[in-house]
Amino acid sequence: MVNFILVPGARLGSWAWDDVVPHLRAAGHGVHPLTLSGLAEKQGLPAGQQTHVQDIVAEVERLDLREVVLVGHSYAGIPAGQAAERIGDRLAHTVFLDSSIPVDGESFAGPWPDIEASLVRNDGVWSPAPASHYAGHGLTEEQIARIVATSTPHPGRTLTEPAVLSGPLSALAATYVLCAPAREEPDDDVAQLVAEGHWRLVRMDTGHWPMFSRPRELAQVLLDAAGE
């Protein structure tokens, strides 16, 4: 038995994993979807980048979990990668699900200046995306409507504050799940970690939100990463 900690991407809460959780539990594992501070039912809580890192670490410690498989989707790869360092021997594996990965001293928003401009226009938060943002990702109209209706503004400081790493990401036992057509390749930093044999690369031929578009298939990918 392992314990999955499932961390959703920007603007999402633990609800994003609702269709994946039953498949993991049916396989006999502990499953703990996590809402980060300032989002979903935790709206209003102040949050910076390190708040989200501590959210993950605190959940592992609060539940006294061992054999943790930590999954970070999209934005959440940034805090998950940092938290993985701090969980220590409680951690079994880290899964970066079509996500950014942390770089010491750099922020999530760093490569995308338009995000910081958006934060200035919207009182320091990253506003929920319109339905058009989700087009072309294998989602039904009903799924898109649910995502749009349930997403919440994302705390801006979590996007602009730098990551803090004490060691190289190559030290982590990790799987990177690339959600894209077969012809596409991961970003250079991920490709290097894979090429050097540090991380395993898994491809899913679906869009950026596989927890909605392919929940059963995603659950199997996570079980495989956990050693099932």
Side-chain angles (χ1 to χ4, degrees), residues 93-129:
H93 202 78
T94 305
V95 180
F96 294 91
L97 177 56
D98 212 39
S99 75
S100 299
I101 63 173
V103 176
D104 187 53
E106 297 186 13
S107 71
F108 173 82
W112 300 291
D114 58 313
I115 292 179
E116 294 202 42
S118 175
L119 298 178
V120 172
R121 292 194 304 269
N122 294 285
D123 298 321
V125 298
W126 201 18
S127 298

mmCIF file of all heavy atoms in Angstrom, residues 93-129:
data_model
loop_
_atom_site.group_PDB
_atom_site.id
_atom_site.type_symbol
_atom_site.label_atom_id
_atom_site.label_comp_id
_atom_site.label_asym_id
_atom_site.label_seq_id
_atom_site.Cartn_x
_atom_site.Cartn_y
_atom_site.Cartn_z
ATOM 1 N N HIS A 93 7.909 8.188 -4.194
ATOM 2 C CA HIS A 93 8.026 8.564 -5.599
ATOM 3 C C HIS A 93 7.331 9.903 -5.809
ATOM 4 O O HIS A 93 6.385 10.246 -5.080
ATOM 5 C CB HIS A 93 7.367 7.503 -6.491
ATOM 6 C CG HIS A 93 7.862 7.504 -7.908
ATOM 7 N ND1 HIS A 93 9.072 6.949 -8.292
ATOM 8 C CD2 HIS A 93 7.305 7.983 -9.056
ATOM 9 C CE1 HIS A 93 9.231 7.088 -9.593
ATOM 10 N NE2 HIS A 93 8.174 7.715 -10.081
ATOM 11 N N THR A 94 7.785 10.644 -6.802
ATOM 12 C CA THR A 94 7.145 11.904 -7.193
ATOM 13 C C THR A 94 6.708 11.803 -8.647
ATOM 14 O O THR A 94 7.459 11.309 -9.492
ATOM 15 C CB THR A 94 8.110 13.091 -7.026
ATOM 16 O OG1 THR A 94 8.611 13.112 -5.687
ATOM 17 C CG2 THR A 94 7.406 14.408 -7.316
ATOM 18 N N VAL A 95 5.487 12.256 -8.907
ATOM 19 C CA VAL A 95 4.966 12.277 -10.275
ATOM 20 C C VAL A 95 4.677 13.717 -10.658
ATOM 21 O O VAL A 95 3.879 14.395 -10.001
ATOM 22 C CB VAL A 95 3.688 11.432 -10.415
ATOM 23 C CG1 VAL A 95 3.174 11.493 -11.859
ATOM 24 C CG2 VAL A 95 3.939 9.984 -10.004
ATOM 25 N N PHE A 96 5.342 14.172 -11.706
ATOM 26 C CA PHE A 96 5.090 15.502 -12.257
ATOM 27 C C PHE A 96 4.128 15.322 -13.426
ATOM 28 O O PHE A 96 4.510 14.790 -14.472
ATOM 29 C CB PHE A 96 6.394 16.150 -12.701
ATOM 30 C CG PHE A 96 7.336 16.465 -11.563
ATOM 31 C CD1 PHE A 96 8.291 15.536 -11.155
ATOM 32 C CD2 PHE A 96 7.262 17.680 -10.906
ATOM 33 C CE1 PHE A 96 9.157 15.823 -10.106
ATOM 34 C CE2 PHE A 96 8.128 17.983 -9.854
ATOM 35 C CZ PHE A 96 9.072 17.054 -9.451
ATOM 36 N N LEU A 97 2.876 15.728 -13.233
ATOM 37 C CA LEU A 97 1.821 15.471 -14.205
ATOM 38 C C LEU A 97 1.664 16.659 -15.147
ATOM 39 O O LEU A 97 1.022 17.652 -14.813
ATOM 40 C CB LEU A 97 0.508 15.163 -13.480
ATOM 41 C CG LEU A 97 -0.729 14.931 -14.354
ATOM 42 C CD1 LEU A 97 -0.494 13.817 -15.359
ATOM 43 C CD2 LEU A 97 -1.939 14.636 -13.482
ATOM 44 N N ASP A 98 2.288 16.556 -16.321
ATOM 45 C CA ASP A 98 2.244 17.624 -17.325
ATOM 46 C C ASP A 98 2.484 18.983 -16.659
ATOM 47 O O ASP A 98 1.751 19.945 -16.882
ATOM 48 C CB ASP A 98 0.902 17.623 -18.058
ATOM 49 C CG ASP A 98 1.037 18.079 -19.507
ATOM 50 O OD1 ASP A 98 2.025 17.723 -20.161
ATOM 51 O OD2 ASP A 98 0.144 18.803 -19.984
ATOM 52 N N SER A 99 3.514 19.026 -15.847
ATOM 53 C CA SER A 99 3.690 20.158 -14.935
ATOM 54 C C SER A 99 4.964 20.943 -15.210
ATOM 55 O O SER A 99 5.876 20.488 -15.903
ATOM 56 C CB SER A 99 3.732 19.648 -13.492
ATOM 57 O OG SER A 99 4.975 19.020 -13.216
ATOM 58 N N SER A 100 5.005 22.111 -14.605
ATOM 59 C CA SER A 100 6.267 22.827 -14.454
ATOM 60 C C SER A 100 7.096 22.090 -13.415
ATOM 61 O O SER A 100 6.561 21.333 -12.588
ATOM 62 C CB SER A 100 6.006 24.251 -13.987
ATOM 63 O OG SER A 100 5.219 24.955 -14.919
ATOM 64 N N ILE A 101 8.391 22.293 -13.458
ATOM 65 C CA ILE A 101 9.249 21.749 -12.402
ATOM 66 C C ILE A 101 10.027 22.907 -11.784
ATOM 67 O O ILE A 101 10.340 23.889 -12.456
ATOM 68 C CB ILE A 101 10.197 20.651 -12.923
ATOM 69 C CG1 ILE A 101 11.169 21.194 -13.968
ATOM 70 C CG2 ILE A 101 9.404 19.481 -13.486
ATOM 71 C CD1 ILE A 101 12.232 20.185 -14.372
ATOM 72 N N PRO A 102 10.308 22.823 -10.484
ATOM 73 C CA PRO A 102 10.955 23.959 -9.825
ATOM 74 C C PRO A 102 12.416 24.118 -10.228
ATOM 75 O O PRO A 102 13.129 23.134 -10.445
ATOM 76 C CB PRO A 102 10.831 23.606 -8.339
ATOM 77 C CG PRO A 102 10.762 22.108 -8.308
ATOM 78 C CD PRO A 102 10.023 21.718 -9.550
ATOM 79 N N VAL A 103 12.820 25.363 -10.314
ATOM 80 C CA VAL A 103 14.223 25.722 -10.519
ATOM 81 C C VAL A 103 14.584 26.677 -9.394
ATOM 82 O O VAL A 103 13.886 27.679 -9.183
ATOM 83 C CB VAL A 103 14.442 26.387 -11.893
ATOM 84 C CG1 VAL A 103 15.891 26.840 -12.040
ATOM 85 C CG2 VAL A 103 14.058 25.440 -13.023
ATOM 86 N N ASP A 104 15.622 26.372 -8.667
ATOM 87 C CA ASP A 104 16.006 27.199 -7.519
ATOM 88 C C ASP A 104 16.167 28.664 -7.914
ATOM 89 O O ASP A 104 16.870 28.986 -8.874
ATOM 90 C CB ASP A 104 17.310 26.673 -6.917
ATOM 91 C CG ASP A 104 17.663 27.381 -5.619
ATOM 92 O OD1 ASP A 104 16.809 27.428 -4.723
ATOM 93 O OD2 ASP A 104 18.796 27.899 -5.516
ATOM 94 N N GLY A 105 15.469 29.535 -7.202
ATOM 95 C CA GLY A 105 15.566 30.971 -7.449
ATOM 96 C C GLY A 105 14.671 31.492 -8.541
ATOM 97 O O GLY A 105 14.651 32.703 -8.793
ATOM 98 N N GLU A 106 13.898 30.605 -9.196
ATOM 99 C CA GLU A 106 13.014 31.034 -10.277
ATOM 100 C C GLU A 106 11.557 30.782 -9.907
ATOM 101 O O GLU A 106 11.251 29.885 -9.124
ATOM 102 C CB GLU A 106 13.364 30.307 -11.579
ATOM 103 C CG GLU A 106 14.764 30.628 -12.085
ATOM 104 C CD GLU A 106 15.047 30.020 -13.439
ATOM 105 O OE1 GLU A 106 14.091 29.551 -14.098
ATOM 106 O OE2 GLU A 106 16.221 30.008 -13.833
ATOM 107 N N SER A 107 10.662 31.568 -10.480
ATOM 108 C CA SER A 107 9.238 31.460 -10.169
ATOM 109 C C SER A 107 8.487 30.758 -11.294
ATOM 110 O O SER A 107 8.993 30.615 -12.414
ATOM 111 C CB SER A 107 8.636 32.852 -9.960
ATOM 112 O OG SER A 107 8.564 33.546 -11.202
ATOM 113 N N PHE A 108 7.266 30.368 -11.005
ATOM 114 C CA PHE A 108 6.398 29.796 -12.029
ATOM 115 C C PHE A 108 6.157 30.791 -13.150
ATOM 116 O O PHE A 108 6.164 30.438 -14.329
ATOM 117 C CB PHE A 108 5.060 29.381 -11.398
ATOM 118 C CG PHE A 108 4.020 28.937 -12.385
ATOM 119 C CD1 PHE A 108 4.023 27.646 -12.885
ATOM 120 C CD2 PHE A 108 3.022 29.806 -12.818
ATOM 121 C CE1 PHE A 108 3.054 27.227 -13.813
ATOM 122 C CE2 PHE A 108 2.053 29.403 -13.728
ATOM 123 C CZ PHE A 108 2.073 28.110 -14.225
ATOM 124 N N ALA A 109 5.918 32.053 -12.790
ATOM 125 C CA ALA A 109 5.550 33.068 -13.784
ATOM 126 C C ALA A 109 6.739 33.580 -14.587
ATOM 127 O O ALA A 109 6.543 34.253 -15.603
ATOM 128 C CB ALA A 109 4.853 34.245 -13.096
ATOM 129 N N GLY A 110 7.950 33.262 -14.160
ATOM 130 C CA GLY A 110 9.132 33.803 -14.805
ATOM 131 C C GLY A 110 9.156 33.694 -16.314
ATOM 132 O O GLY A 110 9.425 34.671 -17.021
ATOM 133 N N PRO A 111 8.838 32.510 -16.892
ATOM 134 C CA PRO A 111 8.895 32.380 -18.350
ATOM 135 C C PRO A 111 7.742 33.053 -19.079
ATOM 136 O O PRO A 111 7.775 33.149 -20.308
ATOM 137 C CB PRO A 111 8.830 30.851 -18.552
ATOM 138 C CG PRO A 111 9.161 30.247 -17.234
ATOM 139 C CD PRO A 111 8.653 31.215 -16.214
ATOM 140 N N TRP A 112 6.719 33.495 -18.329
ATOM 141 C CA TRP A 112 5.522 34.044 -18.962
ATOM 142 C C TRP A 112 5.206 35.427 -18.392
ATOM 143 O O TRP A 112 4.413 35.562 -17.447
ATOM 144 C CB TRP A 112 4.332 33.113 -18.750
ATOM 145 C CG TRP A 112 4.559 31.739 -19.330
ATOM 146 C CD1 TRP A 112 4.645 31.406 -20.649
ATOM 147 C CD2 TRP A 112 4.738 30.511 -18.606
ATOM 148 N NE1 TRP A 112 4.863 30.057 -20.794
ATOM 149 C CE2 TRP A 112 4.917 29.478 -19.563
ATOM 150 C CE3 TRP A 112 4.754 30.195 -17.248
ATOM 151 C CZ2 TRP A 112 5.123 28.155 -19.189
ATOM 152 C CZ3 TRP A 112 4.961 28.878 -16.876
ATOM 153 C CH2 TRP A 112 5.146 27.882 -17.850
ATOM 154 N N PRO A 113 5.804 36.489 -18.941
ATOM 155 C CA PRO A 113 5.576 37.847 -18.433
ATOM 156 C C PRO A 113 4.103 38.250 -18.449
ATOM 157 O O PRO A 113 3.686 39.098 -17.652
ATOM 158 C CB PRO A 113 6.395 38.724 -19.393
ATOM 159 C CG PRO A 113 7.421 37.812 -19.973
ATOM 160 C CD PRO A 113 6.779 36.457 -20.045
ATOM 161 N N ASP A 114 3.314 37.639 -19.335
ATOM 162 C CA ASP A 114 1.904 38.005 -19.397
ATOM 163 C C ASP A 114 1.159 37.631 -18.123
ATOM 164 O O ASP A 114 0.146 38.239 -17.790
ATOM 165 C CB ASP A 114 1.229 37.359 -20.610
ATOM 166 C CG ASP A 114 1.338 35.842 -20.607
ATOM 167 O OD1 ASP A 114 2.453 35.334 -20.367
ATOM 168 O OD2 ASP A 114 0.318 35.171 -20.840
ATOM 169 N N ILE A 115 1.670 36.631 -17.391
ATOM 170 C CA ILE A 115 1.022 36.270 -16.124
ATOM 171 C C ILE A 115 1.168 37.411 -15.123
ATOM 172 O O ILE A 115 0.201 37.808 -14.473
ATOM 173 C CB ILE A 115 1.611 34.966 -15.557
ATOM 174 C CG1 ILE A 115 1.242 33.778 -16.454
ATOM 175 C CG2 ILE A 115 1.115 34.729 -14.124
ATOM 176 C CD1 ILE A 115 1.799 32.454 -15.979
ATOM 177 N N GLU A 116 2.370 37.955 -15.003
ATOM 178 C CA GLU A 116 2.571 39.058 -14.055
ATOM 179 C C GLU A 116 1.748 40.270 -14.467
ATOM 180 O O GLU A 116 1.190 40.968 -13.611
ATOM 181 C CB GLU A 116 4.055 39.398 -13.967
ATOM 182 C CG GLU A 116 4.888 38.269 -13.355
ATOM 183 C CD GLU A 116 6.208 38.758 -12.775
ATOM 184 O OE1 GLU A 116 6.215 39.811 -12.126
ATOM 185 O OE2 GLU A 116 7.219 38.069 -12.978
ATOM 186 N N ALA A 117 1.628 40.528 -15.755
ATOM 187 C CA ALA A 117 0.794 41.638 -16.214
ATOM 188 C C ALA A 117 -0.660 41.399 -15.844
ATOM 189 O O ALA A 117 -1.376 42.326 -15.439
ATOM 190 C CB ALA A 117 0.943 41.807 -17.731
ATOM 191 N N SER A 118 -1.099 40.159 -15.942
ATOM 192 C CA SER A 118 -2.471 39.815 -15.566
ATOM 193 C C SER A 118 -2.697 40.027 -14.083
ATOM 194 O O SER A 118 -3.763 40.495 -13.658
ATOM 195 C CB SER A 118 -2.763 38.361 -15.947
ATOM 196 O OG SER A 118 -4.035 37.970 -15.490
ATOM 197 N N LEU A 119 -1.708 39.709 -13.260
ATOM 198 C CA LEU A 119 -1.832 39.897 -11.809
ATOM 199 C C LEU A 119 -2.001 41.376 -11.467
ATOM 200 O O LEU A 119 -2.786 41.737 -10.583
ATOM 201 C CB LEU A 119 -0.603 39.330 -11.094
ATOM 202 C CG LEU A 119 -0.357 37.827 -11.240
ATOM 203 C CD1 LEU A 119 0.915 37.434 -10.506
ATOM 204 C CD2 LEU A 119 -1.540 37.017 -10.726
ATOM 205 N N VAL A 120 -1.277 42.233 -12.170
ATOM 206 C CA VAL A 120 -1.388 43.675 -11.942
ATOM 207 C C VAL A 120 -2.798 44.157 -12.287
ATOM 208 O O VAL A 120 -3.391 44.959 -11.554
ATOM 209 C CB VAL A 120 -0.334 44.433 -12.773
ATOM 210 C CG1 VAL A 120 -0.576 45.941 -12.695
ATOM 211 C CG2 VAL A 120 1.073 44.094 -12.283
ATOM 212 N N ARG A 121 -3.343 43.653 -13.358
ATOM 213 C CA ARG A 121 -4.681 44.073 -13.800
ATOM 214 C C ARG A 121 -5.783 43.553 -12.887
ATOM 215 O O ARG A 121 -6.879 44.117 -12.848
ATOM 216 C CB ARG A 121 -4.949 43.580 -15.229
ATOM 217 C CG ARG A 121 -4.110 44.225 -16.304
ATOM 218 C CD ARG A 121 -4.673 43.930 -17.686
ATOM 219 N NE ARG A 121 -4.802 42.493 -17.941
ATOM 220 C CZ ARG A 121 -3.856 41.746 -18.494
ATOM 221 N NH1 ARG A 121 -2.701 42.305 -18.845
ATOM 222 N NH2 ARG A 121 -4.049 40.454 -18.710
ATOM 223 N N ASN A 122 -5.514 42.462 -12.165
ATOM 224 C CA ASN A 122 -6.577 41.781 -11.427
ATOM 225 C C ASN A 122 -6.314 41.719 -9.926
ATOM 226 O O ASN A 122 -6.604 40.714 -9.272
ATOM 227 C CB ASN A 122 -6.770 40.370 -11.986
ATOM 228 C CG ASN A 122 -7.303 40.379 -13.403
ATOM 229 O OD1 ASN A 122 -8.476 40.642 -13.636
ATOM 230 N ND2 ASN A 122 -6.425 40.095 -14.363
ATOM 231 N N ASP A 123 -5.769 42.805 -9.390
ATOM 232 C CA ASP A 123 -5.597 42.936 -7.934
ATOM 233 C C ASP A 123 -4.798 41.792 -7.320
ATOM 234 O O ASP A 123 -5.090 41.315 -6.217
ATOM 235 C CB ASP A 123 -6.959 43.034 -7.239
ATOM 236 C CG ASP A 123 -7.747 44.266 -7.679
ATOM 237 O OD1 ASP A 123 -7.128 45.327 -7.862
ATOM 238 O OD2 ASP A 123 -8.980 44.152 -7.844
ATOM 239 N N GLY A 124 -3.783 41.343 -8.043
ATOM 240 C CA GLY A 124 -2.852 40.383 -7.469
ATOM 241 C C GLY A 124 -3.283 38.937 -7.542
ATOM 242 O O GLY A 124 -2.658 38.074 -6.903
ATOM 243 N N VAL A 125 -4.335 38.624 -8.312
ATOM 244 C CA VAL A 125 -4.733 37.227 -8.470
ATOM 245 C C VAL A 125 -4.747 36.869 -9.955
ATOM 246 O O VAL A 125 -4.882 37.734 -10.822
ATOM 247 C CB VAL A 125 -6.119 36.932 -7.857
ATOM 248 C CG1 VAL A 125 -6.101 37.189 -6.355
ATOM 249 C CG2 VAL A 125 -7.211 37.731 -8.543
ATOM 250 N N TRP A 126 -4.614 35.588 -10.221
ATOM 251 C CA TRP A 126 -4.702 35.063 -11.577
ATOM 252 C C TRP A 126 -6.133 34.600 -11.772
ATOM 253 O O TRP A 126 -6.566 33.617 -11.173
ATOM 254 C CB TRP A 126 -3.733 33.902 -11.750
ATOM 255 C CG TRP A 126 -3.355 33.608 -13.172
ATOM 256 C CD1 TRP A 126 -3.485 34.417 -14.245
ATOM 257 C CD2 TRP A 126 -2.744 32.395 -13.641
ATOM 258 N NE1 TRP A 126 -3.004 33.808 -15.372
ATOM 259 C CE2 TRP A 126 -2.537 32.570 -15.042
ATOM 260 C CE3 TRP A 126 -2.334 31.216 -13.035
ATOM 261 C CZ2 TRP A 126 -1.958 31.573 -15.815
ATOM 262 C CZ3 TRP A 126 -1.757 30.234 -13.815
ATOM 263 C CH2 TRP A 126 -1.564 30.407 -15.196
ATOM 264 N N SER A 127 -6.859 35.303 -12.585
ATOM 265 C CA SER A 127 -8.288 35.051 -12.729
ATOM 266 C C SER A 127 -8.557 33.697 -13.358
ATOM 267 O O SER A 127 -7.745 33.187 -14.145
ATOM 268 C CB SER A 127 -8.931 36.140 -13.597
ATOM 269 O OG SER A 127 -8.803 37.399 -12.985
ATOM 270 N N PRO A 128 -9.708 33.087 -13.044
ATOM 271 C CA PRO A 128 -10.085 31.835 -13.708
ATOM 272 C C PRO A 128 -10.126 31.998 -15.223
ATOM 273 O O PRO A 128 -10.461 33.060 -15.739
ATOM 274 C CB PRO A 128 -11.478 31.547 -13.138
ATOM 275 C CG PRO A 128 -11.475 32.212 -11.793
ATOM 276 C CD PRO A 128 -10.664 33.465 -11.991
ATOM 277 N N ALA A 129 -9.776 30.932 -15.914
ATOM 278 C CA ALA A 129 -9.715 30.973 -17.377
ATOM 279 C C ALA A 129 -11.101 30.790 -17.981
ATOM 280 O O ALA A 129 -11.952 30.109 -17.408
ATOM 281 C CB ALA A 129 -8.779 29.874 -17.875
#
